[in-house]
Amino acid sequence: MTAFPDFRSPRWAALSALLTTGVLLTACGSGSAGSGNDSGKPTSGGTLTFAVGSDAGCVDPQQVGSNESIYSVRQIVDSLTDQDPETGKIVPWLAKSWDINSDATQFTFHLRPGVTFSDGSKLTSQVVKDNFDAVPKLGALGTLAQGYLSSVKSTTVVDPLTVKVTFKEPNAQFLQATSTHSLGIESSASVQKTPQQKCSDGVVGTGPFVLKQYVQNQSITLAKRTGYDWGSFLWTKKGEAYLDKLVFKVVPEPGVRAGSLQSGQVDAISSVGKANEAALKGGQVTLLRRANPGVVFGLGINNSRPVLKDVKVRQAILAAVDRKQIADTVFPTGTKPATSVLAHTTPDYTDLSADLAFDAAKAKSLLDEAGWKTGSDGIRAKGGKKLSLVISWFPNAATNQPALELVQQQLKAVGIAVTLKQNQVSQFATTLQGGDFDLVWGNVTRADPDILRSSFSSKLANFYRLPASSLDTALSGQAATTDTAKRKQLVDEAQKLIVQNAYNVPVVELQTQLAVTKRVHGLAFDSGSRIQLHDTWIG
C-alpha cells in the first residue's frame, strides 16, 4: 500500500506551500511565489471576481476541455488523487492511499471516510464505480475522460470505502489520470443525468465550492461549501476554503478585461495578452505565468483529406510556419515556440527543434515535388485545382486569431491559400468528431505524455483520421509499460513519428498568464496550469 505523511500538518505546511507555488513566475510586483501577494495573515470571507474570456457552454467538469471554463468548474469536484506541479508526484486527495499491481492492470483505491457531496450523500466506492462506469456514455464532450478509462475491464466495489479498477491491458497512465478534473468525482444523482443535463444544470460534487448559478456566456457563480474537510494533501489550509463566493464573468475582449482589473471591478483576469502586459505591469497588479504541459498549440490535420494525405504537403506546411515570429509577435512575454508536439513541461518531452525549423525554401521544394505548381497569383495548383485549405478555430483565447493570421501569411508565401473559419467554442468537440475540417487550431493540456495516445492513436477517437501505423504501437506500448526508461523511449519514438510525418503541425507552447490585484493572496496553479482556489484569500 502507498502511504503518505499528512502534508497539512504544521511540519509539512511550509513545504506544501513551496510545492504548490514554486513553479509560478511572477512578472511584476513583490512578494513570494503564488499570487505574489502572500504576506500577512490569511483571512476568511469575501468574494473573488474573476473575468474569463469565454464560456464552453458546459459546467460539467467531466465534459469541459477549455481552460477558461475549467478555472471555475474545477472548484466543484475533488479527484481521487492530486499531482504536485513541481515534482509530478501523485499524492492523496479523496483516496488516502492506493495499491497498484506489478503490471499496472489493477488499481485499488482506499477512500477517505466521512466525505460527503453537497447534497448530503456519502462518498463510497459505489459512487466511484458509478462515475467510471458512466464515462463511456458522456459522448463527444467526454473524450478526455473516455481516453483515460480506455481498455477498462471493470470497476469493482471491494467494500464501502475500497474500489478496484481493472484494465484489459497495462495502463501506466491511469494513476495520473485520477488527478485530473476530467475524472473529478460527482454524486450518483449527477451521474444519472444525461450529459446534456449535466452541461446545462451543473453537477453535485464534494469540492470546496458549490455551483449556485450558471448563465451561459455571462457568468458562473460558486459559493463556499460549509463543512468541507477533505482537501488535497498539497493544500496548506485544512477545512473550508477562505473565500465565501466566487464569480466568474465572461468578458471576451482582452482590453475590457484588463481595464476591469485596473479599475477594481474584478480581482483577477485570464488570458492576459501581449498588448495588455505593459498597461498591467506595476501598480496594484501582479502577472502570473506557467507553461501548460501536454500537446502544444498547433494545427491538427485531417489526415483523410485527399490533399493532406500526401506527406510532402503536410511536411511543407510544417516547414513553412515560422514559430518564433508567431510566439514573439502575438503571445505573452516568455512564450516558447514549439520544439515538439509536447510542451517542454511534459514528462518525457523530446527536443525536436531541428525538425521544426522554419524553412520556406524547403516547403516550396516539397510542394514542387508533390506536383503543386505556382500560378500567376502566387497560389499553387495541380490538375486545375488550387492548393486551398481551411483552418477552423474557436475564440477561446485572444491570441488565436492573430496567430492564425500570421500562419495564413506564412503559408501564402509558399503558395498555399488559407481561409480562416471561426466557430463557436461550444462546437469544438463536435467539429472534431464530425471530421468536417481541413486543419483545426487547438491544444490539449495534461501533465502526462499519454495525452499523445488520447490525441493521435488510430485505435481511440482518432479525430485527426490518422492511418494505422507504427505510431499506434509506440503509443500503446508507452501506456502499457511500467518500466520508466522503456516508456521514455517509446514516448520519444511517438513524438518523432508525429513530427517527422507531420501528422500535426506544432506551433507554440501555451503559456497560461493571469493577472491579479494586490488584494488577492495564495492563488496557485495546479499541475495542468489551471487554478486551485481553496487556499486563496483576499485582504
Side-chain angles (χ1 to χ4, degrees):
M1 182 181 295
T2 305
F4 295 85
D6 186 351
F7 290 161
R8 295 163 303 151
S9 66
R11 178 187 170 207
W12 287 94
L15 174 60
S16 178
L18 288 172
L19 293 179
T20 54
T21 60
V23 293
L24 302 179
L25 303 177
T26 305
C28 59
S30 59
S32 62
S35 66
N37 312 317
D38 298 324
S39 59
K41 184 179 179 181
T43 56
S44 295
T47 298
L48 177 74
T49 304
F50 201 119
V52 296
S54 64
D55 173 27
C58 183
V59 281
D60 176 17
Q62 293 180 355
Q63 299 184 78
V64 169
S66 172
N67 285 346
E68 303 282 273
S69 292
I70 293 169
Y71 294 150
S72 56
V73 300
R74 186 37 163 151
Q75 318 307 318
I76 300 169
V77 294
D78 298 323
S79 298
L80 291 178
T81 65
D82 201 0
Q83 184 178 23
D84 184 334
E86 179 69 10
T87 67
K89 182 180 179 180
I90 304 300
V91 303
W93 196 344
L94 291 180
K96 63 181 181 181
S97 61
W98 48 85
D99 307 305
I100 306 173
N101 68 352
S102 59
D103 65 353
T105 57
Q106 198 170 89
F107 298 74
T108 303
F109 297 93
H110 306 276
L111 305 179
R112 292 165 69 168
V115 177
T116 60
F117 292 89
S118 58
D119 62 2
S121 60
K122 294 181 179 180
L123 172 70
T124 64
S125 51
Q126 182 64 50
V127 177
V128 176
K129 173 179 167 57
D130 291 344
N131 273 260
F132 290 174
D133 286 352
V135 163
K137 306 168 189 173
L138 286 175
L141 296 182
T143 54
L144 282 176
Q146 290 160 3
Y148 301 156
L149 285 167
S150 64
S151 80
V152 69
K153 181 178 180 181
S154 65
T155 301
T156 307
V157 173
V158 178
D159 63 40
L161 291 177
T162 307
V163 60
K164 179 169 64 179
V165 184
T166 304
F167 291 88
K168 300 171 186 174
E169 55 196 28
N171 197 355
Q173 61 84 34
F174 181 63
L175 185 62
Q176 191 278 335
T178 65
S179 72
T180 66
H181 72 279
S182 300
L183 292 185
I185 304 301
E186 303 171 358
S187 71
S188 288
S190 294
V191 169
Q192 291 169 13
K193 293 182 177 181
T194 67
Q196 294 76 21
Q197 287 174 325
K198 293 206 300 177
C199 264
S200 59
D201 301 341
V203 300
V204 171
T206 64
F209 293 91
V210 179
L211 178 66
K212 284 299 182 183
Q213 186 181 43
Y214 171 48
V215 182
Q216 189 168 349
N217 294 320
Q218 292 186 35
S219 65
I220 296 175
T221 302
L222 310 178
K224 177 166 67 176
R225 168 78 191 279
T226 304
Y228 183 85
D229 195 25
W230 40 83
S232 162
F233 275 40
L234 289 175
W235 299 352
T236 57
K237 185 183 188 300
K238 292 186 67 174
E240 299 175 2
Y242 288 115
L243 294 165
D244 288 335
K245 188 176 178 182
L246 302 173
V247 179
F248 292 83
K249 295 183 176 180
V250 180
V251 182
E253 300 82 7
V256 176
R257 287 200 302 277
S260 298
L261 186 72
Q262 290 174 301
S263 66
Q265 296 177 60
V266 301
D267 304 299
I269 62 173
S270 70
S271 300
V272 177
K274 193 177 188 73
N276 301 116
E277 284 180 350
L280 291 173
K281 285 182 179 178
Q284 296 301 306
V285 174
T286 299
L287 299 182
L288 308 176
R289 302 181 180 128
R290 188 176 191 268
N292 286 37
V295 176
V296 299
F297 253 123
L299 298 171
I301 294 178
N302 186 339
N303 288 265
S304 69
R305 291 287 209 236
V307 170
L308 296 169
K309 280 184 177 180
D310 189 335
V311 65
K312 291 186 184 298
V313 173
R314 299 196 307 268
Q315 290 171 335
I317 296 171
L318 196 79
V321 174
D322 186 341
R323 293 158 184 80
K324 188 176 188 305
Q325 182 190 36
I326 295 170
D328 292 348
T329 305
V330 175
F331 287 86
T333 300
T335 299
K336 296 180 179 295
T339 51
S340 175
V341 65
L342 291 177
H344 78 281
T345 48
T346 316
D348 296 335
Y349 148 88
T350 297
D351 185 350
L352 299 175
S353 50
D355 294 300
L356 292 173
F358 168 57
D359 190 338
K362 178 182 178 181
K364 292 176 181 178
S365 177
L366 285 163
L367 292 172
D368 287 339
E369 292 172 20
W372 293 94
K373 303 304 178 185
T374 307
S376 58
D377 59 355
I379 303 302
R380 292 173 181 264
K382 183 168 71 171
K385 183 178 179 180
K386 297 268 189 184
L387 182 49
S388 179
L389 299 169
V390 177
I391 299 177
S392 298
W393 67 281
F394 307 83
N396 59 343
T399 49
N400 289 352
Q401 184 171 350
L404 289 174
E405 286 172 348
L406 274 178
V407 170
Q408 185 181 42
Q409 293 172 22
Q410 292 167 0
L411 294 186
K412 184 179 180 181
V414 300
I416 303 174
V418 170
T419 301
L420 303 180
K421 180 184 178 183
Q422 179 178 337
N423 298 279
Q424 295 179 9
V425 176
S426 59
Q427 295 175 319
F428 182 76
T430 52
T431 297
L432 290 179
Q433 189 178 48
D436 186 20
F437 65 91
D438 294 333
L439 306 116
V440 63
W441 177 254
N443 79 300
V444 190
T445 294
R446 187 186 177 190
D448 190 277
D450 191 65
I451 194 62
L452 293 177
R453 185 173 63 97
S454 304
S455 300
F456 300 111
S457 171
S458 72
K459 297 179 180 180
L460 297 179
N462 199 15
F463 291 139
Y464 302 115
R465 278 67 181 173
L466 272 70
S469 70
S470 59
L471 175 61
D472 291 325
T473 305
L475 293 174
S476 297
Q478 64 79 30
T481 183
T482 56
D483 183 326
T484 54
K486 184 177 180 182
R487 190 183 193 212
K488 181 176 178 60
Q489 177 187 347
L490 290 166
V491 171
D492 174 85
E493 180 184 344
Q495 291 172 79
K496 289 176 179 176
L497 286 170
I498 292 168
V499 170
Q500 291 169 2
N501 286 287
Y503 292 134
N504 174 273
V505 180
V507 180
V508 296
E509 294 188 358
L510 172 64
Q511 177 181 257
T512 295
Q513 181 166 243
L514 311 176
V516 300
T517 63
K518 297 289 186 180
R519 68 192 294 262
V520 178
H521 307 261
L523 189 152
F525 288 115
D526 64 15
S527 62
S529 298
R530 282 81 178 236
I531 56 174
Q532 181 50 252
L533 296 173
H534 175 271
D535 288 350
T536 304
W537 55 282
I538 55 177

